[in-house]
Amino acid sequence: MPINVNDIFEHSDENFNEIAIAVFKEQAQNIEIYQKFVSYLKIEVQDIKHFTEIPFLPISFFKSHQIMHPKFKTPEAIFSSSGTTGSIPSKHFVAQKSNYEKSFMKGFEQFYGDIEQYCFLALLPSYLERSGSSLVYMADQLISKSKHPSSGFYLYDLDKLTNTLIQLERS
């Protein structure tokens, strides 16, 4: 079954498992490192019937392999983990930023409601000082979609953050 990206974002509880299995089969067939991983685990793709049975790649693979569907030649974004001192960061190659954004926006809205109704106060000192942070990217996108005038980054501006929190609590 070909996968329509919109199906992934517009699923219902009833068809979530079906879509997750279709995505798993697509990835197991077309992403070489994942195909090998599933094979080494001696998992028969057709035997997977529920999304809870889908094996996840260890994070270490994201440190040593470029994991992305081969139909995408160049990623639109590459996010990297902060890692620990001296370690190799893992990398998340994002083929289409629009799908990445849709994913975290839909996830937020599913659990919390309309993004425009929230005020986002981002305090991310270790992340803002390095490029390639998916967390900073997500926060920036949420801040820009928020309609609240106090939404923003409060890096090293604890006085402004404190005053904003007090003002928001009062209102």
mmCIF file of all heavy atoms in Angstrom, residues 1 4 15 20 43 48 54-56 59 78 81 85 87 99 110 124 127 130 133 136 142 157 161 164 169:
data_model
loop_
_atom_site.group_PDB
_atom_site.id
_atom_site.type_symbol
_atom_site.label_atom_id
_atom_site.label_comp_id
_atom_site.label_asym_id
_atom_site.label_seq_id
_atom_site.Cartn_x
_atom_site.Cartn_y
_atom_site.Cartn_z
ATOM 1 N N MET A 1 0.847 -1.186 0.000
ATOM 2 C CA MET A 1 0.000 0.000 0.000
ATOM 3 C C MET A 1 0.885 1.239 0.000
ATOM 4 O O MET A 1 1.690 1.429 0.908
ATOM 5 C CB MET A 1 -0.882 -0.061 1.258
ATOM 6 C CG MET A 1 -1.423 1.252 1.740
ATOM 7 S SD MET A 1 -2.447 1.022 3.222
ATOM 8 C CE MET A 1 -2.017 2.489 4.102
ATOM 9 N N ASN A 4 0.453 7.774 1.816
ATOM 10 C CA ASN A 4 0.174 9.189 1.606
ATOM 11 C C ASN A 4 0.586 9.897 2.889
ATOM 12 O O ASN A 4 0.086 9.570 3.970
ATOM 13 C CB ASN A 4 -1.315 9.385 1.317
ATOM 14 C CG ASN A 4 -1.704 10.833 1.130
ATOM 15 O OD1 ASN A 4 -1.020 11.743 1.600
ATOM 16 N ND2 ASN A 4 -2.805 11.044 0.455
ATOM 17 N N ASN A 15 -7.402 3.741 12.538
ATOM 18 C CA ASN A 15 -6.487 3.358 11.467
ATOM 19 C C ASN A 15 -5.018 3.647 11.765
ATOM 20 O O ASN A 15 -4.176 3.459 10.910
ATOM 21 C CB ASN A 15 -6.908 3.991 10.141
ATOM 22 C CG ASN A 15 -6.685 5.488 10.088
ATOM 23 O OD1 ASN A 15 -6.389 6.130 11.085
ATOM 24 N ND2 ASN A 15 -6.830 6.056 8.911
ATOM 25 N N ALA A 20 0.822 2.900 10.695
ATOM 26 C CA ALA A 20 2.139 2.639 11.289
ATOM 27 C C ALA A 20 2.785 1.403 10.659
ATOM 28 O O ALA A 20 3.989 1.411 10.355
ATOM 29 C CB ALA A 20 2.005 2.458 12.798
ATOM 30 N N ILE A 43 13.614 -10.700 12.104
ATOM 31 C CA ILE A 43 12.209 -10.310 12.075
ATOM 32 C C ILE A 43 11.719 -10.397 10.640
ATOM 33 O O ILE A 43 12.354 -9.876 9.722
ATOM 34 C CB ILE A 43 12.021 -8.874 12.617
ATOM 35 C CG1 ILE A 43 12.345 -8.851 14.111
ATOM 36 C CG2 ILE A 43 10.616 -8.363 12.351
ATOM 37 C CD1 ILE A 43 12.367 -7.467 14.711
ATOM 38 N N ILE A 48 4.897 -8.615 11.372
ATOM 39 C CA ILE A 48 4.579 -7.498 12.262
ATOM 40 C C ILE A 48 3.124 -7.091 12.020
ATOM 41 O O ILE A 48 2.764 -6.674 10.928
ATOM 42 C CB ILE A 48 5.530 -6.302 12.030
ATOM 43 C CG1 ILE A 48 6.983 -6.710 12.268
ATOM 44 C CG2 ILE A 48 5.127 -5.100 12.884
ATOM 45 C CD1 ILE A 48 7.330 -7.076 13.682
ATOM 46 N N ILE A 54 7.048 -3.048 16.222
ATOM 47 C CA ILE A 54 8.007 -2.448 15.292
ATOM 48 C C ILE A 54 9.327 -2.168 16.020
ATOM 49 O O ILE A 54 9.333 -1.488 17.050
ATOM 50 C CB ILE A 54 7.440 -1.149 14.682
ATOM 51 C CG1 ILE A 54 6.197 -1.460 13.843
ATOM 52 C CG2 ILE A 54 8.505 -0.427 13.849
ATOM 53 C CD1 ILE A 54 5.444 -0.230 13.363
ATOM 54 N N PRO A 55 10.443 -2.683 15.505
ATOM 55 C CA PRO A 55 11.741 -2.421 16.158
ATOM 56 C C PRO A 55 12.255 -1.015 15.835
ATOM 57 O O PRO A 55 12.094 -0.525 14.721
ATOM 58 C CB PRO A 55 12.658 -3.486 15.555
ATOM 59 C CG PRO A 55 12.057 -3.799 14.222
ATOM 60 C CD PRO A 55 10.566 -3.601 14.363
ATOM 61 N N PHE A 56 12.854 -0.399 16.827
ATOM 62 C CA PHE A 56 13.423 0.934 16.665
ATOM 63 C C PHE A 56 14.940 0.832 16.571
ATOM 64 O O PHE A 56 15.559 0.066 17.308
ATOM 65 C CB PHE A 56 13.046 1.834 17.849
ATOM 66 C CG PHE A 56 11.573 2.102 17.916
ATOM 67 C CD1 PHE A 56 10.738 1.331 18.719
ATOM 68 C CD2 PHE A 56 11.015 3.132 17.174
ATOM 69 C CE1 PHE A 56 9.381 1.573 18.763
ATOM 70 C CE2 PHE A 56 9.657 3.384 17.217
ATOM 71 C CZ PHE A 56 8.834 2.602 18.017
ATOM 72 N N ILE A 59 19.976 4.550 18.995
ATOM 73 C CA ILE A 59 20.456 5.918 18.747
ATOM 74 C C ILE A 59 21.869 5.902 18.180
ATOM 75 O O ILE A 59 22.242 6.783 17.397
ATOM 76 C CB ILE A 59 20.346 6.794 20.020
ATOM 77 C CG1 ILE A 59 20.544 8.270 19.698
ATOM 78 C CG2 ILE A 59 21.335 6.363 21.082
ATOM 79 C CD1 ILE A 59 19.431 8.877 18.900
ATOM 80 N N ILE A 78 19.501 19.235 8.843
ATOM 81 C CA ILE A 78 20.225 18.216 9.592
ATOM 82 C C ILE A 78 20.296 18.707 11.032
ATOM 83 O O ILE A 78 20.907 19.735 11.316
ATOM 84 C CB ILE A 78 21.645 17.977 9.047
ATOM 85 C CG1 ILE A 78 21.593 17.553 7.584
ATOM 86 C CG2 ILE A 78 22.356 16.914 9.898
ATOM 87 C CD1 ILE A 78 22.953 17.478 6.906
ATOM 88 N N SER A 81 22.429 16.038 17.868
ATOM 89 C CA SER A 81 22.297 16.008 19.322
ATOM 90 C C SER A 81 23.427 16.824 19.939
ATOM 91 O O SER A 81 24.461 17.061 19.311
ATOM 92 C CB SER A 81 22.349 14.572 19.835
ATOM 93 O OG SER A 81 23.630 14.027 19.597
ATOM 94 N N THR A 85 30.639 15.537 26.114
ATOM 95 C CA THR A 85 31.988 15.981 25.756
ATOM 96 C C THR A 85 32.786 14.844 25.128
ATOM 97 O O THR A 85 32.894 13.763 25.679
ATOM 98 C CB THR A 85 32.720 16.498 27.015
ATOM 99 O OG1 THR A 85 31.912 17.500 27.608
ATOM 100 C CG2 THR A 85 34.078 17.070 26.658
ATOM 101 N N SER A 87 32.064 13.018 22.593
ATOM 102 C CA SER A 87 31.337 11.970 21.879
ATOM 103 C C SER A 87 30.879 12.468 20.513
ATOM 104 O O SER A 87 30.790 13.662 20.259
ATOM 105 C CB SER A 87 30.129 11.495 22.693
ATOM 106 O OG SER A 87 29.093 12.444 22.645
ATOM 107 N N ASN A 99 7.141 18.455 6.659
ATOM 108 C CA ASN A 99 6.597 17.284 7.352
ATOM 109 C C ASN A 99 7.060 17.232 8.802
ATOM 110 O O ASN A 99 6.307 16.844 9.696
ATOM 111 C CB ASN A 99 6.985 15.990 6.636
ATOM 112 C CG ASN A 99 6.204 15.790 5.363
ATOM 113 O OD1 ASN A 99 5.130 16.357 5.174
ATOM 114 N ND2 ASN A 99 6.734 14.974 4.480
ATOM 115 N N GLN A 110 -2.687 18.108 19.381
ATOM 116 C CA GLN A 110 -3.448 16.937 19.829
ATOM 117 C C GLN A 110 -3.538 16.880 21.351
ATOM 118 O O GLN A 110 -4.564 16.535 21.905
ATOM 119 C CB GLN A 110 -2.820 15.657 19.293
ATOM 120 C CG GLN A 110 -3.555 14.399 19.725
ATOM 121 C CD GLN A 110 -2.932 13.129 19.182
ATOM 122 O OE1 GLN A 110 -2.064 13.157 18.323
ATOM 123 N NE2 GLN A 110 -3.380 12.011 19.677
ATOM 124 N N LEU A 124 16.751 28.264 26.793
ATOM 125 C CA LEU A 124 17.558 27.183 26.242
ATOM 126 C C LEU A 124 19.024 27.582 26.104
ATOM 127 O O LEU A 124 19.565 27.613 25.014
ATOM 128 C CB LEU A 124 16.996 26.792 24.865
ATOM 129 C CG LEU A 124 15.527 26.381 24.839
ATOM 130 C CD1 LEU A 124 14.994 26.362 23.421
ATOM 131 C CD2 LEU A 124 15.346 25.040 25.500
ATOM 132 N N TYR A 127 21.472 25.101 24.225
ATOM 133 C CA TYR A 127 21.066 24.792 22.855
ATOM 134 C C TYR A 127 21.248 25.971 21.910
ATOM 135 O O TYR A 127 21.618 25.796 20.763
ATOM 136 C CB TYR A 127 19.602 24.345 22.815
ATOM 137 C CG TYR A 127 19.380 23.041 23.521
ATOM 138 C CD1 TYR A 127 18.912 22.996 24.823
ATOM 139 C CD2 TYR A 127 19.665 21.842 22.891
ATOM 140 C CE1 TYR A 127 18.719 21.794 25.478
ATOM 141 C CE2 TYR A 127 19.482 20.627 23.529
ATOM 142 C CZ TYR A 127 19.004 20.614 24.827
ATOM 143 O OH TYR A 127 18.820 19.421 25.468
ATOM 144 N N ARG A 130 24.670 26.587 20.066
ATOM 145 C CA ARG A 130 25.184 25.723 19.009
ATOM 146 C C ARG A 130 24.117 25.563 17.934
ATOM 147 O O ARG A 130 22.933 25.561 18.208
ATOM 148 C CB ARG A 130 25.637 24.381 19.560
ATOM 149 C CG ARG A 130 24.537 23.499 19.955
ATOM 150 C CD ARG A 130 25.013 22.112 20.360
ATOM 151 N NE ARG A 130 23.820 21.368 20.665
ATOM 152 C CZ ARG A 130 23.052 20.810 19.733
ATOM 153 N NH1 ARG A 130 23.367 20.879 18.483
ATOM 154 N NH2 ARG A 130 21.947 20.183 20.074
ATOM 155 N N SER A 133 20.166 22.462 16.485
ATOM 156 C CA SER A 133 19.331 21.920 17.544
ATOM 157 C C SER A 133 17.878 21.832 17.093
ATOM 158 O O SER A 133 17.257 22.836 16.758
ATOM 159 C CB SER A 133 19.415 22.802 18.788
ATOM 160 O OG SER A 133 18.392 22.453 19.702
ATOM 161 N N VAL A 136 15.594 23.862 19.590
ATOM 162 C CA VAL A 136 15.543 25.299 19.317
ATOM 163 C C VAL A 136 14.675 25.559 18.093
ATOM 164 O O VAL A 136 13.873 26.495 18.077
ATOM 165 C CB VAL A 136 16.960 25.888 19.129
ATOM 166 C CG1 VAL A 136 16.894 27.308 18.599
ATOM 167 C CG2 VAL A 136 17.709 25.863 20.449
ATOM 168 N N LEU A 142 7.158 27.232 17.258
ATOM 169 C CA LEU A 142 6.009 27.400 18.154
ATOM 170 C C LEU A 142 5.854 28.860 18.565
ATOM 171 O O LEU A 142 4.740 29.393 18.605
ATOM 172 C CB LEU A 142 6.154 26.500 19.381
ATOM 173 C CG LEU A 142 6.008 25.003 19.109
ATOM 174 C CD1 LEU A 142 6.475 24.194 20.310
ATOM 175 C CD2 LEU A 142 4.573 24.648 18.744
ATOM 176 N N ASP A 157 18.327 36.192 30.182
ATOM 177 C CA ASP A 157 17.583 37.387 30.602
ATOM 178 C C ASP A 157 16.576 36.975 31.671
ATOM 179 O O ASP A 157 15.364 37.046 31.475
ATOM 180 C CB ASP A 157 16.896 38.029 29.391
ATOM 181 C CG ASP A 157 16.506 39.467 29.649
ATOM 182 O OD1 ASP A 157 16.556 39.900 30.830
ATOM 183 O OD2 ASP A 157 16.155 40.155 28.679
ATOM 184 N N LEU A 161 12.489 37.337 32.150
ATOM 185 C CA LEU A 161 11.706 36.110 32.287
ATOM 186 C C LEU A 161 10.865 36.154 33.561
ATOM 187 O O LEU A 161 9.671 35.853 33.535
ATOM 188 C CB LEU A 161 12.623 34.887 32.299
ATOM 189 C CG LEU A 161 11.938 33.541 32.563
ATOM 190 C CD1 LEU A 161 10.944 33.204 31.458
ATOM 191 C CD2 LEU A 161 12.978 32.433 32.705
ATOM 192 N N THR A 164 8.035 38.602 33.164
ATOM 193 C CA THR A 164 7.034 38.057 32.238
ATOM 194 C C THR A 164 6.190 36.998 32.931
ATOM 195 O O THR A 164 4.960 36.976 32.791
ATOM 196 C CB THR A 164 7.713 37.477 30.980
ATOM 197 O OG1 THR A 164 8.479 38.507 30.350
ATOM 198 C CG2 THR A 164 6.699 36.924 30.003
ATOM 199 N N GLU A 169 1.119 35.363 35.207
ATOM 200 C CA GLU A 169 0.366 34.767 36.312
ATOM 201 C C GLU A 169 -0.759 35.703 36.752
ATOM 202 O O GLU A 169 -1.869 35.248 37.037
ATOM 203 C CB GLU A 169 1.305 34.468 37.483
ATOM 204 C CG GLU A 169 0.604 33.720 38.614
ATOM 205 C CD GLU A 169 1.566 33.347 39.724
ATOM 206 O OE1 GLU A 169 2.435 34.187 40.054
ATOM 207 O OE2 GLU A 169 1.442 32.258 40.232
#
